[in-house]
Amino acid sequence: MRALLRVELRTADGQLVECREARNAVLRGGADMLAKLFSGQGAGITHMAIGTSDAPEGDTFGTTTLAGAVEVPIPADAFHIDPPDPVKRVVRVRVRATVPADQALADSVREAALVSRQGDSVALYNRVIFAPIQKTTDHELTLFWEVGFPYGDLQWLL
């Protein structure tokens, strides 16, 4: 699975201030979440989080929280599943979520994640780090995720 993230910082009147694009790392918690969904357990993606760390992901891909995180729920209608692409052999899920202007961070935003939250159980599906963006109460921060799920002969994965 691969994901592309586009981050847009906009003023209250909609003017684009900054934009970033980055690819993600699927975390161990995300792989565990998908395995549980495969067996009828757990919950899918319910929230998006932004944080302040730009530390590289470790070899274990074990990040479980973002530094200084702000989390926002993602409504079900924010998800769109594209038809399977027979050429690239991928099914894409697109999701958009916005951190409202009234939710600012003390430090620059440097990371983001898609989150599965079910009661007290929380799992980060992925993590993306990018060049810093200063989000204040004068700005909305919208994140556009495109997650691709490949199909076909995937024996190279095992």
Side-chain angles (χ1 to χ4, degrees):
M1 293 158 283
R2 292 184 65 169
L4 175 65
L5 170 66
R6 179 178 172 88
V7 182
E8 293 183 358
L9 183 71
R10 293 186 178 270
T11 60
D13 63 357
Q15 290 185 338
L16 183 64
V17 177
E18 291 190 60
C19 181
R20 304 278 188 276
E21 287 191 358
R23 297 212 176 267
N24 77 308
V26 175
L27 301 174
R28 186 174 56 221
D32 186 59
M33 179 198 76
L34 289 176
K36 287 178 180 172
L37 286 172
F38 191 78
S39 66
Q41 305 171 44
I45 301 299
T46 58
H47 291 74
M48 175 192 71
I50 57 171
T52 59
S53 174
D54 59 1
E57 193 58 44
D59 288 343
T60 64
F61 295 90
T63 297
T64 57
T65 60
L66 300 185
V70 169
E71 225 178 79
V72 294
I74 302 174
D77 64 356
F79 291 86
H80 174 75
I81 301 172
D82 293 346
D85 181 329
V87 175
K88 294 185 178 179
R89 293 185 182 174
V90 67
V91 175
R92 284 186 195 85
V93 178
R94 299 174 198 272
V95 62
R96 172 186 175 168
T98 299
V99 180
D102 64 351
Q103 294 186 351
L105 293 173
D107 199 1
S108 295
V109 178
R110 294 178 173 93
E111 62 182 338
L114 291 172
V115 181
S116 174
R117 182 174 286 281
Q118 185 178 39
D120 292 336
S121 177
V122 178
L124 296 187
Y125 166 71
N126 64 350
R127 179 172 178 254
V128 179
I129 56 174
F130 44 84
I133 295 178
Q134 188 63 48
K135 190 212 173 298
T136 66
T137 55
D138 297 336
H139 301 103
E140 284 189 340
L141 189 69
T142 302
L143 286 78
F144 301 86
W145 300 85
E146 181 180 297
V147 182
F149 296 89
Y151 65 90
D153 185 359
L154 303 176
Q155 293 182 39
W156 57 270
L157 287 173
L158 298 176

